[in-house]
Structure formats: C-alpha cells, structure tokens
C-alpha cells in the first residue's frame, strides 16, 4: 500500500498542493480522533447557536471548523477560505495560490447516534489580482477545481480524493497516522438497482422526480422492469461513499417544503466536490437540468438540487426532467 505523497507526485501534482492536502488531512485525523472518543470527549450535543444556514450547530461542527480554518490558513499557500459554518469568507495570505472551501462536518446530526459523518473539501485556484477578502474569488464553476475530496469517519476513516486523475480511496492507518492507498481507481458501475433519497419529502418534490421515483417503486411490474432497493444514511458523505464503492444513484431534489430554500445542498461545499469525485469515477452529476460543475456560483452559500451516481441511472432520471 502506498502513501499519498508518492501517488500525487506520480500524477504531477504541484508540491504546494500536495503540502496543502496533507495539512487538511492532518486536521481530519484530529477530527477523526475526537469523533471516535464520542461522549468521552464531551464533544457531542448542540451549541446554543446557529450557522449562516440557520441550522443548529453541533459542538463538533464548531470544533471541526476551527481546526480546519486554523491549519489551512497557517500553510501560507491559501489566499482565503470559505466554510459552511462561516458567514463570510476568511482572508489568508494575499499571495496565496489556492482557495479552500469545506463542510467541516457533513451529517453532524448523526454524531449523537454514532452514525456516519465526514468532512468535504474543495480546492480552487486563486485569482492573483483580487484581494483576499473579495468573496468573488470563489465564484468559479466546479470545473475550475484542482482537487476535491472527503474524509469519512466510520468503522475505518477513509479518504476519497481526486486531483483530476481519477478518484482514489485511502484508509487511515492509525499505526503510523497516515492514509494509505486502498483503491487505486474507484469505478462507479454504469447500471444500478439502488437509490438513495429522503422519501419523507416525496409530497414536496417537483413532478419529474415524483414520476421517476414512482416508477422505481413499481419494480419489475413497472416501466423499469427491475426491482430497486432504497438506501438512505442521511449524510451525503455516507451515501456518496456507497455510490463510489458499488454504484447507485443519490438525489436531493428541489422541493416546495420551504419556499425560501427550494434546494438543500450547498453548491461549493457539497455538490461541486462530490460531483468532481463522482465524474472522475465514471459517474454523472446533474441538477436534473444541467451539469452541476458547469454552474457559475452567484453566492458562496448557494444551494442546488443534486442527482449523482451511476451514469445510466442519472441519465434516466434526467430524461424524466426533460420529458
């Protein structure tokens, strides 16, 4: 099994980007340790505050955010960061080459039940002509990403990472404290019989998604002609990890439950990095109407509908939206 640095060097990744990735992973190792301690560390439960999204913050949300923010800005190669837990961007080194966006603890509501959670991150190039406190730095499409990944805190701590040379999976080896390559090229099967979606929102979905899921549920007796199983972890990292490992389709479609927030997932912190990983593994990612990574953000906290996973199934779902 190989360590991360030689693999990235083989792919021609710049030394500064390798160093930045290793710094992010050092923070994730610390988060992994705190997650594994659970109630023993006194980090479970909620704080008294809410984040910019209007969501109740968990203690681990705050801890993970501060850890990542501190170590990333200390690298000196980052011009600014943007986090799901921060109201605005945080300026770094004016000469920094990179921008980092992250969701410090995706699925944090799962912490109190000892279920899957993770950290999602994306790295973009920084415009040298813009100030480090200029939020327009981040308004780049997902196609501009130079690296993206997530760290999944589960029975083992795993990393999914892409720098545009495929998606690789690594596992944290606690004997020496580093990630080792355990799958050189993740490959999402083109066809699937699994779907992941929050069925409790079904009555709020748009008509195309209503029809698509209704046909899945009809199984062999319906137009799809085969039975589908539903899987739902309620943490995007867990559901996407399953897709990378064995295929499937994950969807969080637009709905009418809250007219002020028709879309749930954040473009920059969740949708873009996951789309990069999935596409590099041979899958597709769409809103139902357009490729997610082609969207040019208008706001750092912008939300979008997400449909990603096995190529044939995503194409089929898109077909319902175009009908």
């Amino acid at each position: 099994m190989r360590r991360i640095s030689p693999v990235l060097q083989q792919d021609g990744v710049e030394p500064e980007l390798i160093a930045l990735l290793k710094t992010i992973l050092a923070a994730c190792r610390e988060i992994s340790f705190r997650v594994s301690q659970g109630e023993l560390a006194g980090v479970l439960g909620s704080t008294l505050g809410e984040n910019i999204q209007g969501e109740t913050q968990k203690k681990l949300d705050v801890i993970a955010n501060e850890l990542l923010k501190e170590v990333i800005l200390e690298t000196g190669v980052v011009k600014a960061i943007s986090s799901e837990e921060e109201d605005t961007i945080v300026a770094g080194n004016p000469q920094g080459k990179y921008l980092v966006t992250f969701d410090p603890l995706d699925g944090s509501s799962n912490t109190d039940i000892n279920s899957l959670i993770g950290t999602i991150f994306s790295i973009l190039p920084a415009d040298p002509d813009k100030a480090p406190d200029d939020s327009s730095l981040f308004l780049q499409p997902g196609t501009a990403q130079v690296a993206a990944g997530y760290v999944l805190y589960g029975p083992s701590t795993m990393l999914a990472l892409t720098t545009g040379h495929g998606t690789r999976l690594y596992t944290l080896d606690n004997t020496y404290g580093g990630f080792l390559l355990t799958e050189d090229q993740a490959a999402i099967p083109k066809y699937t019989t699994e779907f992941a979606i929050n069925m409790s929102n079904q009555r709020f979905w748009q008509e195309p998604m209503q029809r698509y899921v209704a046909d899945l549920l009809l199984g062999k007796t319906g137009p799809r002609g085969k039975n589908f199983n539903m899987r739902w972890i309620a943490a995007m990292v867990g559901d996407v990890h399953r897709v990378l490992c064995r295929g499937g389709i994950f969807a969080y479609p637009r709905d009418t439950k809250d007219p002020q927030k028709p879309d749930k997932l954040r473009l920059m912190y969740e949708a873009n990095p996951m789309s990069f990983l999935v596409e590099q593994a041979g899958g597709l990612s769409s809103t139902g109407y357009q490729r997610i990574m082609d969207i040019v953000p208008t706001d750092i906290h912008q939300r979008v509908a997400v449909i990603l996973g096995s190529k044939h199934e995503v194409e089929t779902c898109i077909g319902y939206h175009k009908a």
Side-chain angles (χ1 to χ4, degrees):
M1 294 184 185
R2 304 168 64 196
R3 302 187 184 192
I4 282 185
S5 290
V7 176
L8 294 176
Q9 289 167 359
Q10 169 193 301
D11 289 338
V13 178
E14 294 183 354
E16 288 176 312
L17 181 54
I18 293 175
L20 174 57
L21 287 166
K22 291 177 70 175
T23 297
I24 292 172
L25 296 179
C28 290
R29 289 199 301 270
E30 174 68 18
I31 296 169
S32 176
F33 173 74
R34 299 203 184 196
V35 168
S36 70
Q37 292 295 97
E39 196 68 61
L40 298 175
V43 296
L44 301 188
S46 301
T47 68
L48 297 177
E50 294 183 342
N51 63 14
I52 184 61
Q53 318 292 339
E55 301 163 337
T56 300
Q57 287 180 306
K58 297 291 185 178
K59 293 177 184 176
L60 268 172
D61 278 324
V62 177
I63 292 170
N65 186 65
E66 290 302 314
L67 274 169
L68 284 161
K69 180 168 65 172
E70 182 177 340
V71 300
I72 290 171
L73 292 177
E74 283 179 353
T75 63
V77 299
V78 173
K79 191 163 191 170
I81 64 168
S82 181
S83 165
E84 182 183 334
E85 301 299 327
E86 299 283 341
D87 293 2
T88 60
I89 70 169
V90 181
N93 180 4
Q95 280 73 51
K97 293 177 61 175
Y98 302 108
L99 307 171
V100 181
T101 72
F102 55 87
D103 180 350
L105 209 62
D106 177 69
S108 58
S109 61
N110 282 346
T111 57
D112 296 336
I113 60 167
N114 198 30
S115 188
L116 293 178
I117 53 178
T119 297
I120 309 171
F121 61 89
S122 169
I123 302 175
L124 294 159
D127 186 335
D129 297 325
K130 291 185 178 181
D133 59 353
D134 184 349
S135 61
S136 70
L137 279 165
F138 290 88
L139 303 184
Q140 305 179 46
T143 51
Q145 295 174 103
V146 295
Y150 64 76
V151 175
L152 178 70
Y153 310 116
S156 61
T157 295
M158 294 192 69
L159 162 70
L161 178 67
T162 184
T163 56
H165 301 276
T167 294
R168 293 188 171 97
L169 302 180
Y170 301 79
T171 302
L172 178 61
D173 182 353
N174 286 310
T175 58
Y176 89 95
F179 287 87
L180 296 178
L181 181 66
T182 46
E183 186 167 351
D184 188 48
Q185 291 290 331
I188 299 173
K190 183 177 180 180
Y191 298 93
T192 185
T193 56
E194 287 189 340
F195 69 102
I197 197 167
N198 186 350
M199 288 294 293
S200 68
N201 290 331
Q202 183 174 11
R203 65 192 184 278
F204 301 111
W205 297 336
Q206 293 178 322
E207 190 268 342
M209 186 59 72
Q210 293 268 13
R211 288 189 295 110
Y212 169 71
V213 173
D215 285 351
L216 295 185
L217 296 177
L218 288 173
K220 285 186 176 181
T221 65
R224 300 303 306 281
K226 60 182 180 180
N227 292 326
F228 284 79
N229 289 324
M230 192 186 85
R231 300 287 184 262
W232 182 248
I233 295 173
M236 192 182 190
V237 283
D239 284 306
V240 172
H241 188 71
R242 184 183 56 252
V243 167
L244 283 177
C245 290
R246 69 185 194 201
I249 184 171
F250 165 86
Y252 214 117
R254 173 166 289 199
D255 63 47
T256 60
K257 184 164 66 173
D258 182 351
Q260 302 302 313
K261 296 178 182 177
D263 299 317
K264 169 69 174 177
L265 299 178
R266 291 77 173 175
L267 175 61
M268 289 175 47
Y269 316 115
E270 296 167 320
N272 270 338
M274 292 306 203
S275 296
F276 195 12
L277 289 164
V278 165
E279 289 193 7
Q280 285 291 311
L284 290 180
S285 184
S286 171
T287 64
Y289 301 99
Q290 69 179 124
R291 181 189 182 205
I292 285 175
M293 289 210 299
D294 285 338
I295 298 171
V296 179
T298 56
D299 182 84
I300 60 171
H301 295 300
Q302 183 173 341
R303 298 171 186 250
V304 294
V306 173
I307 302 165
L308 59 76
S310 294
K311 184 177 181 181
H312 176 264
E313 201 56 41
V314 174
E315 288 174 337
T316 301
C317 186
I318 292 172
Y320 280 75
H321 288 75
K322 292 181 177 179

